[in-house]
Amino acid sequence: MATRYDSSVTEPKWRERWERDGIYRFEPDSDKPKHYAVTMLPYPSGNLHIGHWYAMSPSDVHARYMRMQGYNVFFPMGFDAFGLPAENAAIKNNLDPRKWTYSNIEYMRGQLQSMGMMVDWQQQIISADPEYYRWNQWFFIQFFKRGLAYKKFSAVDWCPKCNTTLAREQVVGDERRCERCDSLVTKRDLDQWYFKITSYADELLDFSGLDWPERITSMQRNWIGRSEGAEITFKSEAGDPITVFSTRPDTLWGASFMVLAPEHPLVAKLTSAEQKASVDAYVAEAIRKTEVERQSTDDEKPKTGVWIGAYAINPASQERVPIWIADYVLMTYGTGAIMAVPGHDERDFAFATTFGLPIKRVVVQAEQTAATPLEAAEPAYGTVVNSGQIDGLSSTDAKEAVIKWLEAEQLGKRAINYRLRDWLVSRQRYWGTPIPMIYCPTCGTVPVPEDQLPLLLPDEVDFKPTGESPLKLHPTWRFTTCPNCGGEAERDTDTMDTFVDSSWYQTRYLSPHDANAPFTKAIADKWLPVDQYTGGREHAVMHLLYTRFWWKAMRDMGLVSANEPMTRLINQGVILGEDSNKMSKSRGNVIDPDMLVAQYGADTVRTFLMFIGPWEQGGPWNNRGIEGCVRFLDRAWRVVTDTPQRHDAAGNASTLERQTHRIIKKVGDDIQRFAFNTAIAGLMEFVNELMKARETDVYGSEQWRKASEALTLLLAPIAPHIAEELWEFLGHSESVHLQVWPSYDEALLIDESIELPVQINGKVRGKIQVAASADEATIIAAALADEKIAPLVEGKTIVKQIVVPNRLVNIVIK
């Protein structure tokens, strides 16, 4: 054997052999218990970055470990291949987005294979393949038939110069300009398709049975934003009903003004002639902002708004309240109107203070009265005051009383509101799944017949510099005949949001070439849901929420049976540059994994990425750190393959046996909980112990052989190439990746003897060796008999004798 491990030779050799022997082929019908592991599929941008390695390699380690535990493991890979980057590349460089995408996929697949992942590439999916997006279209039609897909007008970002809608990524800068032409972006209403995710809002709040991180479930709960309260109807002085939703109807008497969203349909009608110019200017500015900007809670951000010159009537107090517009009120949340109770809401208080609006107290705490002045917004729970018939009630009782009163007087009703909005899936782009709908002047909106799917993207398209969709501008593609009446009709020229592609892909992996269904149900019934899902936490309220919605819709269609798509979810952290900043080309801190593999080998890169810190936290890259992993793998290689010049010193085979069993348990437990850094740290210590033991007469013994084999097996999920080479060196003909995880004996996890420090009056004065099973009396006797301790206690009065199990002995004397 070579004295050093040569990754440039060994790694390609084993990858070729694994592929030749098909050791990672998917076996859907195996009798072994199944373990379905999926990591979020990458976008084929052209090059894997180190973040891909950080996400995928540890996920591969866990999948390999589960295979060695006796599971039939399926760990597939694919490409989320539609999207804006390909279209932008086509526009900028006059490229075919299909050729650009598939060229990138070919390159990235080679990079992924260099990781040594246990992927069966015969099961890969590419979302831009017609055999895949055909089923996006099929699902769309099923959703349409079930009322889960519908069309309505809604606002989009619009570039007036390019004459096109813009994606979120195409609006840049604080002034919100078009990235293509630098024009100021406006808002425009377009007729667009939605999926009715709100139909599942309550069910999406139920995470029972899921082993998901609390931060993810909390983010989804907050995003869905379920709140209970009442809808209350105010009326303008002209008689127009203005409905608000409030979680605190008991504070109705404290509502001293109303605020409408700038887009509210009553704004134009109710605005006075004197206020029209200022209102129009404010509306124009507000609708250019994003919802995130408008909902900012930054205390230093000035509160803005305009009085529209009109009043409404508070239905409880019958008082006139001024009607304002402000950008923090959104038409997409609630009713687009709020009743403002500044005495007990911080944002309303700030707004009222800024504009000199009335502030009323309607809740008191202990030792306060109805006349106690308000110097800031105070908690809205307490005893109700200044509120007519509900005075004196607790806030909780008052809330229920007001809801009943509103319903009796037909002024409102009990209601539940959600922050969650339906999923806008229309995209005015080319490189995506065509929406399979046809518009007929006679028959209306008609789905493409299912036997005519997939509705293919046209090959020859012209990308205008304006960025308008080639589907809209294509001379023939948009024109068709109605499948119902045969008359002239037009296709929808929008494509689907690419989150559609990733909402059900884990089911297609199981049967990627099924031409009769989105997936083969017999296989899906056995393998779904996914047992282990890994990926970034940034997908909490988009991909992960959409995936849960899609799954529940499939369940209701009878396609799947479980309630959730993925049982266990673990999120990785982020790898930073050596400067502890996010990696970016502009900072010059990007790490190229290809260069690292060429220099160190894939196993070293894998090992270091897992050793860099807790996987869920991430951390900064450290070039010195990777050198440490080089030395570790080199020592592991040498400890197994090198013959020591001398090994005649006395050793202890029993100690080595115990060390071996302890490391088997530790590494297994750590990998199971994705604590890869501590697993590798344990292996480093074990290699050090082996280096010591091989200089003794333990070398060459049965215990040495078992320890060497255990080391190799424990390395196999982490460093699959070097483990394969070591396994062959140890005389085995079958792949190490077809072996079972080594077992351990619980009895051997306990030390035969332990060392305990002995303190005299709290200060360590000596150490004793005792049997691990020794009782307290035996331990005390050994401490008092120790040659260092005995002289110190002789002639003294022993006040107390304390034994802390497995830690120390303390003898108190005077």
Side-chain angles (χ1 to χ4, degrees):
M1 296 293 288
T3 57
R4 294 183 65 87
Y5 174 72
D6 187 349
S7 63
S8 66
V9 174
T10 303
E11 292 184 350
K13 177 187 81 173
W14 285 113
R15 288 196 295 271
E16 290 171 10
R17 193 172 301 181
W18 297 334
E19 181 63 25
R20 183 197 69 195
D21 296 345
I23 68 169
Y24 301 137
R25 290 284 180 268
F26 179 39
E27 299 178 3
D29 299 324
S30 169
D31 292 332
K32 294 180 180 179
K34 68 96 176 179
H35 180 79
Y36 187 11
V38 179
T39 191
M40 294 180 187
L41 75 177
Y43 181 80
S45 57
N47 195 4
L48 288 181
H49 54 72
I50 203 69
H52 289 116
W53 276 72
Y54 191 63
M56 296 173 185
S57 297
S59 300
D60 177 65
V61 172
H62 185 265
R64 287 179 176 277
Y65 167 75
M66 294 301 292
R67 178 172 175 160
M68 295 179 76
Q69 286 290 325
Y71 287 87
N72 181 19
V73 175
F74 182 37
F75 182 59
M77 184 54 63
F79 297 92
D80 193 9
F82 276 137
L84 187 61
E87 191 145 337
N88 282 345
I91 295 168
K92 182 178 180 180
N93 303 312
N94 194 29
L95 297 172
D96 180 345
R98 181 180 285 99
K99 290 181 179 178
W100 182 87
T101 299
Y102 280 81
S103 174
N104 289 347
I105 287 173
E106 189 66 26
Y107 183 75
M108 291 177 68
R109 188 189 296 114
Q111 290 182 296
L112 287 165
Q113 289 168 336
S114 76
M115 289 186 195
M117 291 175 23
M118 55 170 290
V119 170
D120 179 359
W121 288 101
Q122 293 182 1
Q123 300 293 127
Q124 80 167 355
I125 61 101
I126 300 173
S127 64
D129 282 349
E131 72 170 350
Y132 184 87
Y133 73 71
R134 165 192 180 178
W135 298 108
N136 285 347
Q137 295 170 338
W138 183 84
F139 276 119
F140 190 104
I141 292 169
Q142 309 317 307
F143 287 5
F144 176 73
K145 291 177 179 178
R146 288 165 172 77
L148 289 176
Y150 67 93
K151 207 170 189 187
K152 74 170 184 178
F153 279 93
S154 59
V156 296
D157 288 321
W158 180 265
C159 176
K161 183 175 180 181
C162 295
N163 195 36
T164 187
T165 57
L166 300 177
R168 212 174 308 172
E169 303 93 329
Q170 296 170 297
V171 181
V172 297
D174 294 338
E175 294 184 329
R176 291 179 44 77
R177 292 182 178 272
C178 173
E179 70 168 1
R180 293 181 179 125
C181 70
D182 203 40
S183 297
L184 289 172
V185 173
T186 63
K187 292 287 186 180
R188 180 169 176 173
D189 283 342
L190 285 185
D191 202 12
Q192 301 184 93
W193 285 100
Y194 286 81
F195 287 157
K196 202 169 185 181
I197 190 174
T198 53
S199 294
Y200 290 89
D202 279 329
E203 194 174 349
L204 289 168
L205 286 167
D206 181 5
F207 298 94
S208 57
L210 288 183
D211 183 7
W212 282 31
E214 174 61 29
R215 60 176 171 266
I216 300 297
T217 57
S218 294
M219 289 171 72
Q220 290 200 0
R221 287 190 185 96
N222 293 336
W223 189 263
I224 295 167
R226 186 182 192 275
S227 53
E228 298 182 7
E231 287 185 353
I232 306 169
T233 302
F234 287 64
K235 286 189 176 180
S236 72
E237 289 188 308
D240 304 282
I242 307 174
T243 301
V244 303
F245 172 81
S246 174
T247 60
R248 299 301 309 279
D250 49 301
T251 64
L252 177 57
W253 279 259
S256 58
F257 61 98
M258 297 189 72
V259 184
L260 306 183
E263 305 92 336
H264 197 288
L266 283 176
V267 171
K269 179 180 180 182
L270 296 178
T271 298
S272 67
E274 295 80 6
Q275 292 294 105
K276 187 175 187 308
S278 58
V279 168
D280 287 350
Y282 188 86
V283 169
E285 180 64 24
I287 63 176
R288 291 190 59 249
K289 298 179 181 178
T290 66
E291 289 192 2
V292 172
E293 290 171 325
R294 288 171 59 172
Q295 289 184 298
S296 172
T297 57
D298 185 352
D299 291 337
E300 297 182 2
K301 178 184 175 182
K303 301 298 181 288
T304 65
V306 175
W307 178 48
I308 69 171
Y311 292 86
I313 304 301
N314 183 319
S317 66
Q318 296 301 305
E319 294 177 343
R320 296 171 80 217
V321 296
I323 303 174
W324 286 65
I325 58 171
D327 61 9
Y328 71 84
V329 180
L330 306 174
M331 279 304 299
T332 56
Y333 180 64
T335 64
I338 67 166
M339 66 178 205
V341 184
H344 307 287
D345 180 273
E346 290 183 3
R347 187 163 56 179
D348 293 345
F349 184 90
F351 193 91
T353 302
T354 300
F355 295 105
L357 296 167
I359 300 174
K360 298 182 178 182
R361 175 185 289 282
V362 290
V363 177
V364 294
Q365 309 300 317
E367 300 182 1
Q368 290 180 330
T369 70
T372 302
L374 278 161
E375 297 180 358
E378 293 185 356
Y381 284 93
T383 302
V384 175
V385 295
N386 297 327
S387 299
Q389 68 266 30
I390 62 170
D391 271 6
L393 294 178
S394 69
S395 296
T396 303
D397 291 342
K399 178 177 179 178
E400 187 64 25
V402 171
I403 292 174
K404 291 179 178 178
W405 174 75
L406 289 168
E407 292 179 333
E409 298 295 324
Q410 297 185 337
L411 296 172
K413 63 181 180 180
R414 189 184 305 276
I416 297 174
N417 191 49
Y418 298 90
R419 185 178 300 276
L420 178 69
R421 301 279 73 109
D422 282 338
W423 176 7
L424 171 61
V425 295
S426 292
R427 296 293 182 270
Q428 293 73 44
R429 300 202 289 265
Y430 163 73
W431 191 237
T433 301
I435 291 177
M437 304 303 288
I438 295 170
Y439 304 109
C440 172
T442 303
C443 304
T445 302
V446 182
V448 173
E450 292 177 23
D451 62 3
Q452 295 181 21
L453 300 178
L455 172 59
L456 296 172
L457 287 168
D459 290 330
E460 299 296 329
V461 296
D462 184 16
F463 286 94
K464 298 291 186 181
T466 62
E468 291 176 276
S469 171
L471 295 182
K472 180 180 177 182
L473 302 175
H474 197 278
T476 60
W477 188 88
R478 64 186 290 190
F479 302 108
T480 186
T481 56
C482 174
N484 286 355
C485 69
E488 293 184 355
E490 291 191 18
R491 295 188 175 104
D492 195 306
T493 59
D494 285 351
T495 54
M496 296 184 204
D497 178 12
T498 53
F499 277 114
V500 167
D501 305 330
S502 58
S503 289
W504 67 281
Y505 75 105
Q506 75 278 4
T507 64
R508 186 66 177 175
Y509 276 142
L510 297 167
S511 44
H513 308 298
D514 191 329
N516 301 308
F519 47 88
T520 305
K521 194 170 186 308
I523 300 176
D525 287 345
K526 179 177 180 179
W527 281 86
L528 295 172
V530 171
D531 298 291
Q532 177 65 67
Y533 197 47
T534 53
R537 66 179 67 98
E538 67 272 16
H539 298 293
V541 294
M542 301 287 279
H543 161 60
L544 288 170
L545 195 62
Y546 293 153
T547 295
R548 295 182 65 219
F549 155 70
W550 200 284
W551 179 273
K552 294 174 190 301
M554 289 197 300
R555 178 204 59 199
D556 292 347
M557 292 162 59
L559 297 176
V560 295
S561 55
N563 288 324
E564 296 286 351
M566 300 104 174
T567 304
R568 187 187 189 209
L569 170 70
I570 295 183
N571 305 120
Q572 80 274 4
V574 177
I575 288 290
L576 304 173
E578 283 202 276
D579 56 2
S580 295
N581 290 313
K582 185 176 180 180
M583 289 188 189
S584 70
K585 291 181 180 179
S586 62
R587 290 194 178 100
N589 63 353
V590 174
I591 302 298
D592 183 354
D594 289 0
M595 292 180 62
L596 293 172
V597 172
Q599 182 176 358
Y600 298 111
D603 281 356
T604 299
V605 178
R606 287 170 62 111
T607 302
F608 178 60
L609 285 171
M610 285 174 276
F611 189 58
I612 206 167
W615 191 60
E616 294 178 60
Q617 295 179 20
W621 183 265
N622 185 317
N623 280 324
R624 292 187 303 275
I626 197 170
E627 293 290 347
C629 289
V630 171
R631 290 191 295 272
F632 159 60
L633 291 179
D634 182 60
R635 285 168 65 83
W637 172 261
R638 287 189 289 111
V639 82
V640 175
T641 62
D642 283 1
T643 301
Q645 292 183 353
R646 294 178 60 91
H647 49 86
D648 52 2
N652 191 326
S654 176
T655 298
L656 180 59
E657 182 181 31
R658 291 178 182 278
Q659 291 168 339
T660 302
H661 283 251
R662 283 199 295 269
I663 195 62
I664 291 170
K665 181 180 188 325
K666 174 178 176 50
V667 174
D669 289 350
D670 286 350
I671 291 178
Q672 177 60 22
R673 60 190 181 91
F674 280 68
F676 305 107
N677 59 322
T678 56
I680 293 170
L683 284 170
M684 288 177 172
E685 293 177 10
F686 185 55
V687 168
N688 289 339
E689 295 301 326
L690 287 175
M691 293 294 281
K692 297 174 185 176
R694 77 178 191 142
E695 304 298 328
T696 73
D697 56 9
V698 171
Y699 179 79
S701 67
E702 179 66 9
Q703 292 306 328
W704 175 263
R705 182 188 66 79
K706 289 181 178 179
S708 298
E709 291 193 344
L711 171 64
T712 304
L713 291 166
L714 301 185
L715 276 174
I718 297 165
H721 306 90
I722 192 172
E724 193 76 274
E725 191 78 2
L726 288 174
W727 193 245
E728 184 181 61
F729 171 81
L730 290 171
H732 302 283
S733 58
E734 188 179 56
S735 170
V736 71
H737 303 300
L738 298 177
Q739 310 308 309
V740 298
W741 192 257
S743 60
Y744 59 85
D745 186 342
E746 290 280 356
L748 293 175
L749 302 180
I750 303 170
D751 283 323
E752 292 177 322
S753 65
I754 56 175
E755 185 179 70
L756 296 176
V758 180
Q759 298 177 344
I760 302 293
N761 292 345
K763 188 173 182 179
V764 175
R765 296 294 189 178
K767 295 180 180 180
I768 59 171
Q769 289 280 340
V770 295
S773 59
D775 58 18
E776 186 170 317
T778 302
I779 293 171
I780 291 293
L784 294 175
D786 181 75
E787 60 181 13
K788 291 183 179 180
I789 302 300
L792 298 174
V793 299
E794 185 178 355
K796 305 291 185 182
T797 300
I798 297 177
V799 177
K800 189 180 294 184
Q801 300 169 143
I802 303 168
V803 175
V804 180
N806 299 315
R807 291 190 60 191
L808 60 84
V809 180
N810 188 20
I811 300 171
V812 181
I813 62 176
K814 68 175 184 179

